[in-house]
Amino acid sequence: MNKTHLKIVALLSAMALVLSAEVQAAETSASTKQRPNIVWIVVDDMSCHFGYQGEKLVKTPHVDQLAREGVAFSNAYVTAPVCSTFRSAVITGMYQTTIGAHHHRSSRGALKIHLPDGIRTIPELFREAGYFTTNANADGTRPGKEDYNFVYQRGDLYDGVDWTQRAAGQPFFAQYQLSGGKLRNSKKAYERVKAELDDLVTAEEVTLPPYYPDHPVIRTDWAEYLNSVMYTDRQVGQIIARLKAENVLENTVVFFLTDHGISHARGKQFLYEEGLKIPFVVWGLKYEPAGSVRDELISHIDLSATSLALAGIKIPANMQGRPLFGPQAKPRKYVVSARDRCDETVDHIRSVRKGHFKYIRNYLPERPYLQPCKYKDAKPFMPVLRELHAAGKLNAAQSLHLAETRPEEELYDLTRDPWEIHNLAGDPAYDKQLTEFRGLLANWELETDDRGRFPESEAMYDSDMAPYFEKSRKRNPDQAAILEANIKLMKRWRAAGK
């Protein structure tokens, strides 16, 4: 073969390589475009009070449409009923108790919590798979709430706040954080709610749960909460409208859920239905009938594994969240939730929901349910509850959560007693159920390495209280004095073995 032929062969080979690379790139690009965008809309402090769930006083057309066209899970539970522990769990797909992130607002002081070896965050897994990752407020203009109880760098998780900044054809994983029930306890925020809603729920229209007294302050607070639900729905509609306007909605799966229940005496921070049970809707699936309602028990950490599975990303073998759809789906027989320290207030409670029963184990039964807590005691309903209880004006159901001590165990038949008022744990007729639940919880604590089995060290407690106290001191010295007194009380009770 002469030199001319060699040059031609070399040129043809080079052209073939270039063409092959271009075809491969095109195939990769096409494959990438087919991967769905994943959007999480996570709302603060809201229980199951949307229109599609039967709440008649609110108008929530956008969330209702997601449920009508998507899949609604009627028995979705959080693994922790307070924001930072919820978020630490969902962003890893792990129980917060397994990764040591079970105390609310921990790892904020000099002593830090690091994720165990082999545990990665969901945004990192999406980034490695080629996704553009974002976390934003409701408007998509600022970084959204993170609140993770471990050491991390925002830049390792998120590419930004606006998914439109991604490369052409790049799929995205976007989180939106909505203030939800917190709107009602912020004067400035609630003024916006009132200004933008046409038809407000009034205190006179409200029907309270039977474990709350019929009092004007509590009625007003509940009405403002329901108005916050409607305002949240408007924000959801705006997010969906933007996805549609950018022509990406058709290839997007939207998850809508809340981080735990309403911030109320028996809600947020506690393991009753009001605190644990959340709305959970998935919209945009191609293989689930529109308007499906699935009644099986799911945990909120299942959101993480499900999102990875829908994006075609391998789920880590050690992830405790489970996919909800497709061949990888593995239904849960029961769900477990946990409450540990919330701010300065030390506690240790676990619950198991299986079938129509709920089991609650109080590991600190000598303490009152409503221990002193600067955050919670500042809510408008708390002084009212305490005053009415002191005056003997609460009935038996309304007094339950004001008790100075607790039973070690609680058992509720949610079919007959959806408000969890009648504790069956002392009834011999339910000994079989109690024995089963004790075993389920004990095994779960060992199998998942529940780190709440061991008290938080005083050094870690002090480390987390230091910045919390300093922040309170600068903002409001009177509140800082309350916090300081609560911290001292927690230490006295611990020293006394209470």
Side-chain angles (χ1 to χ4, degrees), residues 62-324:
H62 301 103
V63 173
D64 294 351
Q65 183 174 357
L66 292 180
R68 188 169 60 250
E69 297 176 356
V71 180
F73 288 84
S74 62
N75 284 305
Y77 286 80
V78 294
T79 64
V82 70
C83 49
S84 71
T85 46
F86 165 98
R87 293 168 190 279
S88 301
V90 77
I91 210 64
T92 57
M94 303 292 291
Y95 289 109
Q96 71 284 350
T97 47
T98 298
I99 61 176
H102 49 295
H103 295 300
H104 177 48
R105 298 277 162 80
S106 49
S107 194
R108 310 302 162 109
L111 301 182
K112 301 297 182 183
I113 297 171
H114 295 268
L115 286 175
D117 291 341
I119 304 299
R120 309 287 306 286
T121 68
I122 303 304
E124 288 176 295
L125 297 175
F126 269 97
R127 287 184 83 179
E128 291 171 4
Y131 274 69
F132 190 83
T133 62
T134 65
N135 188 33
N137 64 347
D139 299 328
T141 56
R142 298 192 309 274
K145 184 176 181 179
E146 293 160 4
D147 216 12
Y148 310 138
N149 292 334
F150 50 80
V151 173
Y152 67 98
Q153 296 297 322
R154 179 183 291 170
D156 293 337
L157 277 65
Y158 303 111
D159 294 306
V161 299
D162 189 350
W163 46 265
T164 62
Q165 296 172 345
R166 72 198 189 284
Q170 184 181 14
F172 61 88
F173 166 66
Q175 295 171 246
Y176 286 95
Q177 312 295 339
L178 280 56
S179 296
K182 286 184 167 63
L183 293 168
R184 82 190 199 277
N185 295 140
S186 166
K187 183 177 180 180
K188 182 178 179 180
Y190 194 69
E191 287 297 325
R192 190 168 65 248
V193 171
K194 290 193 294 183
E196 296 186 24
L197 290 181
D198 297 325
D199 190 11
L200 293 168
V201 176
T202 65
E204 293 72 25
E205 296 176 281
V206 166
T207 300
L208 294 168
Y211 43 74
Y212 293 140
D214 190 354
H215 187 279
V217 169
I218 299 178
R219 277 182 164 275
T220 297
D221 178 75
W222 199 276
E224 291 180 354
Y225 161 72
L226 292 178
N227 290 328
S228 299
V229 171
M230 291 196 286
Y231 189 84
T232 295
D233 183 76
R234 287 169 60 95
Q235 293 178 313
V236 172
Q238 291 164 2
I239 292 170
I240 299 301
R242 187 183 181 206
L243 293 168
K244 187 174 182 179
E246 296 287 344
N247 295 315
V248 295
L249 186 59
E250 288 188 3
N251 192 40
T252 297
V253 177
V254 177
F255 292 84
F256 173 83
L257 67 158
T258 66
D259 67 349
H260 49 70
I262 178 177
S263 180
H264 217 296
R266 250 185 165 226
K268 181 179 182 179
Q269 298 185 353
F270 285 97
L271 305 186
Y272 300 106
E273 297 292 275
E274 186 178 283
L276 293 181
K277 195 172 183 181
I278 61 170
F280 192 108
V281 176
V282 189
W283 181 94
L285 297 169
K286 307 301 181 185
Y287 47 85
E288 285 276 336
S292 298
V293 177
R294 288 175 47 174
D295 297 325
E296 73 265 32
L297 294 166
I298 69 169
S299 282
H300 89 270
I301 55 176
D302 297 336
L303 165 67
S304 307
T306 301
S307 299
L308 293 174
L310 291 174
I313 301 171
K314 184 178 180 181
I315 300 171
N318 57 357
M319 184 171 287
Q320 293 163 323
R322 301 181 180 185
L324 297 173

Side-chain angles (χ1 to χ4, degrees), residues 270-417:
F270 285 97
L271 305 186
Y272 300 106
E273 297 292 275
E274 186 178 283
L276 293 181
K277 195 172 183 181
I278 61 170
F280 192 108
V281 176
V282 189
W283 181 94
L285 297 169
K286 307 301 181 185
Y287 47 85
E288 285 276 336
S292 298
V293 177
R294 288 175 47 174
D295 297 325
E296 73 265 32
L297 294 166
I298 69 169
S299 282
H300 89 270
I301 55 176
D302 297 336
L303 165 67
S304 307
T306 301
S307 299
L308 293 174
L310 291 174
I313 301 171
K314 184 178 180 181
I315 300 171
N318 57 357
M319 184 171 287
Q320 293 163 323
R322 301 181 180 185
L324 297 173
F325 307 104
Q328 298 181 75
K330 185 180 179 182
R332 294 181 181 273
K333 295 180 180 179
Y334 58 91
V335 292
V336 180
S337 302
R339 184 257 162 96
D340 295 276
R341 174 174 60 76
C342 287
D343 297 320
E344 78 273 23
T345 308
V346 176
D347 217 329
H348 181 196
I349 315 174
R350 299 292 181 266
S351 71
V352 183
R353 165 77 196 272
K354 182 182 180 185
H356 54 90
F357 284 98
K358 162 85 75 61
Y359 172 78
I360 297 175
R361 174 70 186 271
N362 293 299
Y363 285 89
L364 300 176
E366 295 305 310
R367 298 193 180 204
Y369 283 105
L370 293 175
Q371 301 182 62
C373 176
K374 182 179 78 69
Y375 165 80
K376 198 150 192 171
D377 286 340
K379 301 294 182 181
F381 50 81
M382 284 301 297
V384 173
L385 290 174
R386 294 193 190 282
E387 289 169 11
L388 291 175
H389 180 62
K393 295 182 178 180
L394 299 181
N395 63 31
Q398 295 160 0
S399 300
L400 285 172
H401 218 53
L402 278 297
E404 288 301 312
T405 60
R406 327 170 189 183
E408 290 189 11
E409 297 177 299
E410 300 174 55
L411 181 70
Y412 301 101
D413 183 338
L414 297 178
T415 300
R416 298 180 178 180
D417 179 24

